[in-house]
Amino acid sequence: MLELAILGLLKEQDLHGYELKKRLADTLGLGSGVSFGSLYPALARLERAGAVRSLEPAADTSPIPQTGSLGGELAAFRARTAGTRRGRSRKVYRITQRGEELFAELLAEDSGPAEDARLFSLRLAFARYLSDDARLGMLEHRRLQLLERLNRSGARARTTRDKLDAYLHSLLEHDREATEHDLSWIERLIAREREARAASAAVGATDRADSSGEHPRTTTTPVAMTTGPDKESTR
Amino acid sequence: MLELAILGLLKEQDLHGYELKKRLADTLGLGSGVSFGSLYPALARLERAGAVRSLEPAADTSPIPQTGSLGGELAAFRARTAGTRRGRSRKVYRITQRGEELFAELLAEDSGPAEDARLFSLRLAFARYLSDDARLGMLEHRRLQLLERLNRSGARARTTRDKLDAYLHSLLEHDREATEHDLSWIERLIAREREARAASAAVGATDRADSSGEHPRTTTTPVAMTTGPDKESTR
DNA sequence: CGATAGATGTATCGGCTCGATATAGTGCGG
DNA sequence: CCGCACTATATCGAGCCGATACATCTATCG
């Protein structure tokens, strides 16, 4: 999972560990990012697998950002002293051809029924690298997961009628609302995706049934299932 | 973290591992609950620490639920064959005095600035065991965390103006909305808490300034901070 | 009847991630 | 010159997860 995020960031430019951690935290959706205890081992794994290679210091005034764009008041100061390397010597990582392939694999991977919210967010952050079909498939997949989760909320409400602690009840209720919110978001994304597709395919084949208002609800699944595990951090 | 959840459930009744896992999944807010790979080691730790003890088979027709209330069609069948133990012999866990103490410690624990959403949910699920003050403190603490997170969202939006990928932008936007939703939920909980407190203290002291509409916003913090890490699963 | 499938249960293993900590180089203010 | 803060790489122990193994019982189908 971390590998995917690292490779995705390195696709755009070479980075050293510290900077990588920062971008993981605030460029991507990952709250607070990851700890060094995960990041460095992950980089080591990737290097061992030949997916990235590390470049030594690279002399001075390299085009690698001087850890910039944070702090605010600090930024001005940073601009003044730019070019003077600070702290310990950095090890800069660059993605390899093998790394590009690995990225594509990880991004497209099936990710069983347990796919959690973090992984979905990560995939969406790199959705621009997917084909139209793969991207739409990913969104539909997520939609089904959320529907299933919503089902379980309903089932739970029906099973344990009221006799619940007030705090627990509020928690469960909020969780259900958050899931509904997520679901409507995903459905907006799907609708947008279909519009774009329809627009780009304006020339060509015969009319393809849908395309007008009230988006076709795809595979619908009328809200009824019994089994299947799931994994949804918290919310 | 898991220990807290286990002890909280065992406070109400003796349970065996499998049933414990089920309740972790759907009684509490934890999506999909935890895996056996966490649960059994956690139980072993708790037993080693003297916080729980395991009771052997306990003969037949014990008052422990026969893993009931799931399946639906299965429930009827289950009712018929109730009383006949199934599968491997179960090991039933019971909380000890030491366990009750440990539960109280874990529930009240300070939980640094990194407290994630899962842990907060867990604490809220057991909030009924906290004193009024501790409960309110927990809610205020969570409120500040969410405000800080919201700040960072704003800062990010101001720093990286527009030049963002559409999917990434949508992701970040959705994340911000979800945080706002969480925040307003917490504020409703705080308001409710204060009302209850005011109602119960109806007899006694002089009038205490607030109590009428437009809840007092507590410690307000006018949305401005620069540093501090955080941890928020995803969203 | 016997085979098969499937639910119920307990348990362990390898691998990833985390939080804490160690190490180290640099500039800044007192 | 000393301590402090910031940048940066790296490791350790422990927790958690997914997969898997193992064991026991029942229902169902040929």
Side-chain angles (χ1 to χ4, degrees), chain A residues 25-33 69-73 116-122 124-128 135 139 149 152 156 159-160 164-168 170-172 174-175 177-178 181-182 185 188-189 192-193 226 229-235, chain B residues 25-33 69 71-73 116-122 124-128 135 139 149 152 156 159-160 164-168 170-172 174-175 177-178 181-183 185 188-189 192-193 226 229-235:
Chain A
D26 54 49
T27 299
L28 264 28
L30 312 165
S32 145
S69 79
L70 85 165
E73 328 77 314
D116 73 16
R118 285 203 311 289
L119 189 46
F120 172 75
S121 292
L122 201 49
L124 187 61
F126 295 127
R128 61 182 177 283
R135 191 162 47 226
L139 291 171
R149 184 176 169 81
R152 276 197 305 285
R156 187 166 44 207
T159 306
T160 66
L164 236 51
D165 170 74
Y167 298 105
L168 202 39
S170 179
L171 180 63
L172 262 27
H174 174 67
D175 192 77
E177 278 171 25
H181 189 212
D182 282 9
W185 172 56
R188 279 198 306 277
L189 285 182
R192 195 202 290 176
E193 205 70 22
T226 12
D230 183 78
K231 164 89 216 207
E232 211 64 38
S233 60
T234 299
R235 344 193 24 172
Chain B
D26 53 51
T27 298
L28 264 28
L30 312 165
S32 143
S69 80
E73 331 76 314
D116 73 14
R118 284 202 312 289
L119 190 46
F120 171 75
S121 292
L122 201 47
L124 187 61
F126 295 126
R128 61 181 177 283
R135 191 163 46 226
L139 291 171
R149 184 176 169 79
R152 275 197 305 286
R156 187 167 45 206
T159 307
T160 65
L164 236 50
D165 169 73
Y167 298 105
L168 202 39
S170 179
L171 180 62
L172 262 28
H174 174 67
D175 192 77
E177 279 172 22
H181 188 212
D182 283 8
L183 185 57
W185 172 55
R188 280 198 307 276
L189 285 182
R192 194 202 290 177
E193 204 70 22
T226 10
D230 183 78
K231 166 87 216 207
E232 212 62 40
S233 62
T234 299
R235 330 198 29 167

Side-chain angles (χ1 to χ4, degrees), chain B residues 12-233:
Chain B
E12 294 171 27
Q13 82 178 283
D14 299 349
L15 292 168
H16 53 102
Y18 205 79
E19 182 66 24
L20 215 32
K21 175 168 156 56
K22 253 176 233 150
R23 308 217 174 183
L24 249 20
D26 53 51
T27 298
L28 264 28
L30 312 165
S32 143
V34 291
S35 64
F36 291 119
S38 325
L39 179 58
Y40 286 113
L43 281 170
R45 280 196 305 276
L46 286 172
E47 189 162 19
R48 229 181 309 134
V52 305
R53 67 171 179 282
S54 62
L55 324 179
E56 280 310 305
D60 52 339
T61 53
S62 60
I64 295 136
Q66 227 65 248
T67 218
S69 80
L70 85 167
E73 331 76 314
L74 288 241
F77 154 74
R78 198 66 45 62
R80 269 186 285 120
T81 59
T84 71
R85 257 222 294 73
R86 327 225 305 171
R88 189 146 134 181
S89 72
R90 294 172 306 190
K91 203 185 283 186
V92 174
Y93 291 91
R94 173 172 300 171
I95 193 169
T96 66
Q97 190 54 42
R98 173 78 196 103
E100 298 273 1
E101 291 160 18
L102 182 57
F103 173 78
E105 282 171 39
L106 289 176
L107 186 55
E109 204 164 63
D110 229 36
S111 75
E115 179 174 13
D116 73 14
R118 284 202 312 289
L119 190 46
F120 171 75
S121 292
L122 201 47
R123 287 229 169 80
L124 187 61
F126 295 126
R128 61 181 177 283
Y129 295 120
L130 283 172
S131 72
D132 287 3
D133 283 347
R135 191 163 46 226
L136 193 51
M138 180 186 82
L139 291 171
E140 299 278 15
H141 184 68
R142 178 65 179 163
R143 180 170 169 274
L144 289 183
Q145 284 179 350
L146 290 173
L147 277 177
E148 201 183 327
R149 184 176 169 79
L150 218 45
N151 274 4
R152 275 197 305 286
S153 291
R156 187 167 45 206
R158 254 168 279 120
T159 307
T160 65
R161 295 190 196 273
D162 324 60
K163 61 173 180 109
L164 236 50
D165 169 73
Y167 298 105
L168 202 39
H169 179 265
S170 179
L171 180 62
L172 262 28
E173 184 65 15
H174 174 67
D175 192 77
R176 197 183 49 74
E177 279 172 22
T179 304
E180 278 170 3
H181 188 212
D182 283 8
L183 185 57
S184 89
W185 172 55
I186 295 290
E187 289 180 344
R188 280 198 307 276
L189 285 182
I190 289 176
R192 194 202 290 177
E193 204 70 22
R194 291 195 185 283
E195 278 166 34
R197 179 174 298 213
S200 84
V203 210
T206 68
D207 49 342
R208 217 171 24 250
D210 65 75
S211 82
S212 62
E214 201 64 21
H215 62 89
R217 233 40 185 164
T218 71
T219 350
T220 308
T221 33
V223 186
M225 298 183 74
T226 10
T227 53
D230 183 78
K231 166 87 216 207
E232 212 62 40
S233 62

Side-chain angles (χ1 to χ4, degrees), chain A residues 45-65:
Chain A
R45 281 197 303 276
L46 286 172
E47 190 161 19
R48 228 180 311 136
V52 305
R53 66 170 179 283
S54 62
L55 325 180
E56 280 310 305
D60 52 338
T61 54
S62 59
I64 295 136

Side-chain angles (χ1 to χ4, degrees), chain A residues 31-42:
Chain A
S32 145
V34 292
S35 63
F36 290 120
S38 323
L39 180 59
Y40 287 112

